[in-house]
Amino acid sequence: MATLSQWVAGSRPRTLPASLVPVVVGTGVAVGEGGAVWWRAALAAFVALVLQIGVNYSNDYSDGVRGTDEERVGPLRLVGSKVAPPKQVLAAALACFLAAAVAGLVLAAVTTWWLLLVGAFAILAAWFYTGGKTPYGYRALGEVSVFVFFGLVAVVGTVYVQVERLPWEAWGAAVPIGLLACALLVANNLRDIPTDRESGKRTLAVVLGGPWTRILYAACAALPFMFVLALAAPHPWVLLALLAAPLSLPPTQKVLHGASGADLIPVLGETGRLQIAYGVLLAIGLAL
């Protein structure tokens, strides 16, 4: 039986900013539009968080039963390290998906029932990332899914459930947030290239190879600041997000200077801190 601390570690806490930051940014847009509804924002945050945890447990289960996680450099995997039975990890993932579905049902009931379709696609995408017979995460499509669901869907969806319309600022803010979420996945997959290649897991990092994956990470970390400049014309306060730029330098330097294996583990935490700082400052700028 896994301990509580092991379950927490298995939820991959360093990845969780990817779920909450989009809600913060979307709420910033809603405040700027004069239509923030705080209980809906809180419920959207709950949906995003438990869905992310569900994704992480689902990946732990699917990779574990395939044997992909038997040789890992990164953080604890519950199934791969045999500290929790696969059925328990699967049950935890399904419980998270159910909780997200129930909360999403409430949001759909007070806005539009079309949200149920979006939620269903999100849960299916979460499961089939590494689950099922043909997981798309094994076919170099993980970054596409992360950009769509942790960028476009999360930010735009958070705005919609509060103001019930889709201002252009929602889309403009969603793109850089999606890029930073991709940076987290790229750093994770860069670290795992040797073991993923050996186990037959064809992530985008495996397909591109180390050098190009490092360039991709640098681009995902830098391009959000270019979007700030684009958003600044109608919303000058978003320039506050540039204050987060120094946080992009340590992880980018590590990646571009050839860090590998365990040396890339701190990059996940540093990328998460960059994402939090950028997202909070962008949200404040959009709200003002």
Side-chain angles (χ1 to χ4, degrees):
M1 179 70 69
T3 65
L4 177 60
S5 63
Q6 288 172 326
W7 279 104
V8 171
S11 72
R12 309 182 196 180
R14 288 189 177 116
T15 69
L16 298 184
S19 62
L20 295 178
V21 168
V23 177
V24 172
V25 173
T27 301
V29 174
V31 171
E33 292 292 311
V37 182
W38 296 105
W39 73 267
R40 296 187 186 183
L43 203 55
F46 175 79
V47 170
L49 183 62
V50 297
L51 191 58
Q52 172 70 49
I53 295 173
V55 169
N56 291 340
Y57 284 146
S58 172
N59 294 346
D60 191 309
Y61 166 79
S62 298
D63 284 342
V65 296
R66 280 192 175 89
T68 308
D69 283 346
E70 289 182 359
E71 299 291 338
R72 287 195 61 84
V73 177
L76 174 73
R77 295 296 182 264
L78 296 166
V79 176
S81 59
K82 296 180 173 57
V83 300
K87 288 184 178 180
Q88 286 186 5
V89 179
L90 176 60
L94 295 178
C96 289
F97 293 153
L98 177 61
V102 171
L105 181 63
V106 175
L107 288 173
V110 297
T111 54
T112 174
W113 292 107
W114 281 103
L115 283 181
L116 293 180
L117 186 60
V118 176
F121 275 118
I123 292 174
L124 289 173
W127 172 253
F128 286 106
Y129 176 61
T130 57
K133 293 182 179 180
T134 57
Y136 65 86
Y138 283 44
R139 285 164 173 75
L141 293 173
E143 283 77 5
V144 174
S145 178
V146 164
F147 180 80
V148 170
F149 288 101
F150 290 95
L152 302 182
V153 171
V155 175
V156 173
T158 297
V159 175
Y160 184 81
V161 299
Q162 295 183 70
V163 304
E164 298 190 40
R165 61 183 185 277
L166 298 176
W168 71 266
E169 290 87 348
W171 300 98
V175 172
I177 295 304
L179 288 171
L180 288 174
C182 286
L184 275 171
L185 182 59
V186 171
N188 182 80
N189 289 345
L190 174 63
R191 182 199 65 215
D192 292 342
I193 284 177
T195 54
D196 284 345
R197 182 181 289 125
E198 184 177 342
S199 63
K201 185 176 181 180
R202 295 184 72 253
T203 63
L204 183 59
V206 170
V207 172
L208 293 178
W212 282 107
T213 301
R214 295 176 190 279
I215 293 173
L216 177 61
Y217 175 88
C220 288
L223 284 175
F225 296 100
M226 302 299 102
F227 276 90
V228 167
L229 299 178
L231 289 168
H235 297 284
W237 280 107
V238 301
L239 292 173
L240 284 171
L242 294 178
L243 295 174
L247 293 177
S248 69
L249 298 179
T252 301
Q253 288 175 344
K254 288 184 178 71
V255 169
L256 291 181
H257 290 169
S260 61
D263 292 335
L264 283 167
I265 294 176
V267 171
L268 289 175
E270 292 168 345
T271 306
R273 288 190 287 274
L274 166 63
Q275 189 179 31
I276 292 170
Y278 179 94
V280 170
L281 291 169
L282 181 62
I284 292 172
L286 289 166
L288 294 175

